[in-house]
Amino acid sequence: MAFVLRAFSNGMDGVFIGGCRLNECNYVTHGNYHALNMVLLLRRIMEHIGLNPERLRIEFMSGAEANLFVEDVNSFVKKVKSLGPLGEAEGIDRQELKVRLAEMSKLVPYFKLMNQEKLGSRLKTDEEREGLFTQEEIDKLFSEMVSYYIDPEKCQACMTCLRRCPAEAIVGGKNKIHVIDQDKCIKCGTCFEVCPPRFASVKKLSGEPVPPPLPEEKRTLVRKAKEK
Ligand code: SF4
Ligand code: SF4
């Protein structure tokens, strides 16, 4: 997903993915099914942000089917040309498009995490595939977007979350109440999982605003024993 979004961010008007025939993958992981499901999800996300989903296509062929590859690519190029330049054809301002694509790229881990099961499915018919992700589901994914927040009243500055965060989105240190930089957070949920249950300081919020972070000057942790 990240590669596709990067291609659009770099000004490509369309992205074509070619994969081995379904059920003929050399690996037990059947990565071509995963790629197909990823495309189905991303096409819905493109619709959500106002882009024509036909700008993204996946086709399957064997290494011996050069003619099929040529046919598919030519038909895709024809389609993309008929759609016109990315964003411009959809009436989205260039700067706005950049912002929307950057936001979606940042959310890729979240999209994957929330759709893990469906991304691993192996559906047989086009009809089933078409219904794998509905637009309503995707709209809900955005309206009920999850955020993580560290409760300053509970954080004990153990630094576990800071060490495990894959996006360096947690600001803290020894004896410092930790805070999450929401601009950097990729919503992976690791901090929520690893915060020791006896502290349970990380809150998972769904579709609600995140409280503002504790000001820098108030982040020094005053331990109860020391207070006495
Ligand atoms: S959810 Fe937590 S661990 Fe994951 S990126 Fe955000 S702050 Fe870091
Ligand atoms: S793991 Fe929990 S208690 Fe430890 S620093 Fe992070 S939020 Fe605070």
Side-chain angles (χ1 to χ4, degrees), residues 5 9 12 14 16 23 38 45 47 75 82 95 99 107 137 149 174-176 188 203 213:
L5 289 165
S9 302
M12 298 299 121
F16 179 93
N23 302 317
M38 177 275 292
I45 290 169
E47 275 183 82
S75 117
S82 78
Q95 191 51 34
V99 171
L107 291 171
E137 255 181 290
Y149 169 72
K174 208 176 164 202
N175 290 326
K176 288 276 177 198
C188 68
K203 305 274 169 246

Side-chain angles (χ1 to χ4, degrees), residues 4 7 9 43 66 84 108 120 143 157 179 196 209 224:
V4 173
S9 302
R43 282 167 63 101
V108 165
S143 66
V179 294
K224 282 192 177 125

Side-chain angles (χ1 to χ4, degrees), residues 152-159 173-178 198-199 219-228:
E153 297 294 321
K154 292 186 172 180
C155 178
Q156 291 303 306
C158 71
M159 296 176 69
K174 208 176 164 202
N175 290 326
K176 288 276 177 198
I177 294 171
H178 290 39
R198 64 186 186 282
F199 303 142
R219 289 186 197 163
T220 303
L221 184 67
V222 181
R223 298 191 189 272
K224 282 192 177 125
K226 284 185 184 168
E227 256 181 330
K228 280 176 201 165

